[in-house]
Amino acid sequence: MNKPVEVQTLPHWIGGKPVASTSGRSGEVTNPATGAVTKRVPFATAAEVDAAVKAAQAALPAWRDAPPLRRARVMQKFLALLQENQEPLARLITEEHGKTLPDALGEVQRGIEVVEFACGVPHLLKGEHSENVGTRVDTHTVRQPVGVCAGITPFNFPAMVPMWMYPVAIACGNTFILKISEKVPSASMRAAELFKQAGLPDGVFNVVHGDKEAVDAILAHPGIGAVTFVGSTPIAKYIYETCARHGKRVQALGGAKNHAVVLPDADLEFTTDALIGAAYGSAGERCMAISAVVAVGAVADPLVDLIKKKCQAVKVGPGHAEGVDMGPLVTRQHRDKVKSYVDLGVKEGAKLVADGRGLVVKGHEDGFFLGTTLFDDVKPGMKIYQDEIFGPVLIVLRVPTIEDAIALVNANPYANGTAIFTESGGAARRFENEIQVGMVGINVPIPVPVAYYSFGGWKASLFGDLHVHGVEGVKFYTRTKVVTTRWPHQDTPAPGGFSMPTLG
Ligand code: NAD
């Protein structure tokens, strides 16, 4: 057991400076590779959330009115600082989340790409203009910020998921409150410092820590106009419904069960290499992880054999160590929950092909490790198929035809990402057309869109209309105003009248 040691309690970041919490409630942050408690996070009270809203409201008028080009220049400096600090940020992620350092570097890179996208905000905010919608009447649109926006984020991408939100919101002229996951707080606290260093005015970006109490205070606060949530489906649904009740604009991204359909003509080496990374990378704790393989026809036996061989070769260890493919899970509680799904799968009658439960990482016996696990012959009625396990557990379902595979994927309530592996253009096109999922990969296992496209699933994977970042992110964080203009002129037709105006 680890000896209890004095650990730092993190402050919130409000009004451009660290602010100690007085809530008296807090949670532990652990290093998943060692099991040691490394920090504490305070759980904000409603009054602390209110202080963050007040700081964001105070900063809003000047920031909203700053020319977009000036806002973009702050973003460019932030971009440069993030690039300089990419490795230390990644190290913070590995220390608190457990993912490997190269994977954490990749996460920061994908976040940086959203900041790069946000640097183009002057172009993105351009409106439309139509001359002569009536005689000497013109119409144009402007995109204006919503006001104070909030983001509530999950543990699995401590830097990237928050960066799906706040760079776009802030570039559009909003101010922002981030309620970061209480399990992985440090990377976003560091980002807040870097943003200040880049010249961001105090109060434009605020970070509060907390649990349900802080989240509920955000959802109910009349000073917050828009909320973006990313996390599990039950909480996403709750956020969506609560925000709607409070009249807030909301997008709430939920959980996933991402299927990879493998057709008999797929290149097996290529496919299994892709599946191994997609299923076990980041210990399966990715919302776009492949967690279910749908093997079509005769491909099943050779496919399962090859996945088994490759998954047993995955090197598991602490995320900062050289040559490690997969780190630990985020907390002991989560590791135990994932492990309990392996027990359940055995009870449900699925065939356990590779069992990660016995794994011991030498020198890290208190770490939250679980080895790569593979089930075959899984049926749609089993809980290990129906639930999002969110760990290094890959399941294989067998179906006879592509029609059955498409029907299976479409019947699943989750619809974040999916992929097909095939050499057939016709089959791939049909899959793309018929599949009811928000993000589709063709021989690409994790089809996460780049920053200048938008990210989002369908069905129980996203509540709301608009996806995050890209043009949809700009739409979410702005309100459109339509202006109709007429200037009196000697031969302008007389205004008014009692009937609806018509064209001409
Ligand atoms: P979570 O839903 O437990 O927590 C997400 C956020 O909600 C955290 O900030 C947490 O403090 C807060 N929260 C937790 N319980 C709450 C409650 N009862 N009331 C109000 N707020 C609450 O999710 P997690 O475990 O941190 O993250 C993993 C989940 O996130 C997985 O389901 C994963 O699929 C999902 N995820 C989805 C996407 C996507 O793009 N769709 C991306 C990343 C993660």
Side-chain angles (χ1 to χ4, degrees), residues 358-383:
L359 176 90
V360 176
V361 176
K362 281 223 172 87
H364 289 81
E365 288 76 5
D366 290 331
F368 312 140
F369 292 97
L370 183 66
T372 54
T373 298
L374 179 65
F375 278 109
D376 190 9
D377 277 330
V378 174
K379 307 289 179 233
M382 295 178 181
K383 289 285 279 176

Side-chain angles (χ1 to χ4, degrees), residues 25-80:
R25 291 194 314 120
S26 64
E28 288 177 346
V29 179
T30 44
N31 180 335
T34 63
V37 176
T38 53
K39 288 171 194 147
R40 296 196 72 85
V41 275
F43 289 164
T45 59
E48 286 170 340
V49 169
D50 183 56
V53 176
K54 290 212 164 77
Q57 283 174 323
L60 184 63
W63 186 246
R64 181 186 53 203
D65 289 342
L69 194 56
R70 202 177 301 155
R71 298 201 296 258
R73 285 180 185 144
V74 174
M75 213 54 77
Q76 284 162 16
K77 285 199 184 134
F78 182 44
L79 172 66

Side-chain angles (χ1 to χ4, degrees), residues 168-208:
V168 181
I170 288 174
C172 287
N174 301 282
T175 56
F176 203 88
I177 295 161
L178 173 65
K179 205 302 282 174
I180 186 76
S181 166
E182 64 279 22
K183 299 185 180 94
V184 291
S186 298
S188 287
M189 289 298 281
R190 183 68 189 124
E193 291 169 355
L194 295 175
F195 222 165
K196 182 181 168 94
Q197 203 180 321
L200 190 75
D202 293 347
V204 175
F205 182 49
N206 307 279
V207 184
V208 294

Side-chain angles (χ1 to χ4, degrees), residues 144-167:
Q144 295 190 328
V146 176
V148 178
C149 301
I152 300 158
T153 54
F155 78 80
N156 65 325
F157 285 105
M160 181 188 78
V161 167
M163 285 186 193
W164 285 351
M165 310 173 184
Y166 69 82

Side-chain angles (χ1 to χ4, degrees), residues 218-467:
I218 288 171
L219 305 184
H221 202 295
I224 295 175
V227 173
T228 305
F229 171 86
V230 177
S232 59
T233 288
I235 313 292
K237 192 160 180 282
Y238 167 74
I239 301 279
Y240 183 71
E241 290 170 354
T242 311
C243 283
R245 218 170 21 254
H246 288 283
K248 288 190 202 322
R249 186 174 281 215
V250 56
Q251 50 183 182
L253 283 68
K257 194 83 180 182
N258 305 308
H259 302 71
V261 172
V262 183
L263 297 190
D265 67 354
D267 176 328
L268 274 194
E269 279 295 330
F270 172 88
T271 302
T272 45
D273 281 342
L275 292 178
I276 291 293
Y280 301 114
S282 196
E285 293 169 324
R286 290 181 181 141
C287 58
M288 289 289 277
I290 291 294
S291 50
V293 170
V294 186
V296 177
V299 80
D301 285 340
L303 181 70
V304 170
D305 286 349
L306 205 50
I307 299 177
K308 177 183 178 186
K309 190 173 129 209
K310 291 189 184 191
C311 87
Q312 289 179 330
V314 168
K315 195 160 175 236
V316 185
H320 61 267
E322 284 279 318
V324 164
D325 302 312
M326 188 181 104
L329 283 92
V330 67
T331 57
R332 176 170 287 117
Q333 191 192 23
H334 185 58
R335 191 270 316 271
D336 292 348
K337 182 175 161 202
V338 174
K339 212 171 175 178
S340 75
Y341 270 108
V342 184
D343 303 338
L344 180 63
V346 174
K347 259 195 229 142
E348 287 181 306
K351 187 169 155 200
L352 186 58
V353 178
D355 183 356
R357 288 173 297 181
L359 176 90
V360 176
V361 176
K362 281 223 172 87
H364 289 81
E365 288 76 5
D366 290 331
F368 312 140
F369 292 97
L370 183 66
T372 54
T373 298
L374 179 65
F375 278 109
D376 190 9
D377 277 330
V378 174
K379 307 289 179 233
M382 295 178 181
K383 289 285 279 176
I384 58 164
Y385 173 68
Q386 291 167 353
D387 292 1
E388 180 185 38
I389 298 174
F390 221 54
V393 179
L394 182 61
I395 64 174
V396 179
L397 299 97
R398 296 174 174 233
V399 297
T401 66
I402 184 173
E403 287 78 17
D404 298 307
I406 291 174
L408 179 77
V409 178
N410 285 348
N412 194 288
Y414 294 111
N416 214 35
T418 188
I420 187 166
F421 287 86
T422 179
E423 301 271 295
S424 159
R429 191 189 178 283
R430 175 177 178 191
F431 184 78
E432 173 189 335
N433 178 256
E434 293 180 17
I435 213 74
Q436 289 163 25
V437 175
M439 293 171 282
V440 179
I442 294 168
N443 297 316
V444 173
I446 303 197
V448 173
V450 289
Y452 45 98
Y453 281 78
S454 298
F455 179 108
W458 290 8
K459 295 171 19 184
S461 296
L462 186 143
F463 300 90
D465 315 87
L466 293 170
H467 292 186

